[in-house]
Amino acid sequence: MKKECPECGEKIVGRIDKKFCSDACRNSYNNRVNKDSKNLIRNTNNRLRKNYRILEDLNPDKKTKTSRSKLIEKGFDFNYFTSIYTTKAGTVYYFVYDQGYLPLEDDYFALVKRE
Ligand SMILES: [Zn+2]
């Protein structure tokens, strides 16, 4: 069975380990894949930066409390954080860099800045 070029769909002739029909196809394929992964990283970084600014705005004194609705109103996205910290007591803090939040009861959150 002949392999097809993943860029243009042409049958590949030549060496068995050849993945693309031509250098041009290889280049344009790799450029596109790299661009997509760069976009993914840029979009994720933008989400994290936005979340960080929201936490920073709401928590100027390194420790406070806020509500879920206030976070959502500002555009906070709970899917994006950089690390999770679990205390010995089993309490789970979510961090966006050094800004952390801890879900409390009744849709409230404790905000803490890591020293
Ligand atoms: Zn091709």
Side-chain angles (χ1 to χ4, degrees):
M1 207 177 83
K2 279 235 162 75
K3 279 201 301 184
E4 287 177 2
C5 174
E7 180 65 12
C8 70
E10 287 289 310
K11 294 259 184 293
I12 297 175
V13 288
R15 289 194 339 257
I16 189 92
D17 60 341
K18 228 172 140 182
K19 205 180 152 197
F20 297 91
C21 72
S22 64
D23 287 345
C25 274
R26 191 186 60 234
N27 287 337
S28 63
Y29 180 89
N30 286 334
N31 285 341
R32 202 180 56 250
V33 168
N34 288 338
K35 200 173 144 226
D36 286 349
S37 68
K38 273 181 197 148
N39 282 339
L40 174 69
I41 290 168
R42 188 170 54 231
N43 292 341
T44 304
N45 283 339
N46 287 342
R47 294 299 323 172
L48 286 170
R49 191 179 301 118
K50 186 171 181 188
N51 274 358
Y52 186 81
R53 288 203 182 121
I54 291 166
L55 293 174
E56 208 176 27
D57 279 355
L58 291 172
N59 188 22
D61 300 319
K62 296 181 180 175
K63 199 165 191 240
T64 191
K65 232 172 117 176
T66 192
S67 63
R68 176 182 291 272
S69 57
K70 191 153 209 171
L71 286 163
I72 287 169
E73 179 189 306
K74 286 180 169 285
F76 195 83
D77 189 332
F78 290 93
N79 294 311
Y80 292 87
F81 50 87
T82 56
S83 64
I84 290 177
Y85 174 71
T86 308
T87 65
K88 280 186 186 136
T91 307
V92 181
Y93 288 84
Y94 297 84
F95 277 90
V96 182
Y97 305 109
D98 59 355
Q99 298 281 352
Y101 59 96
L102 162 70
L104 304 171
E105 287 179 347
D106 299 328
D107 273 348
Y108 272 83
F109 289 84
L111 304 185
V112 289
K113 186 171 188 231
R114 190 155 50 196
E115 296 299 318

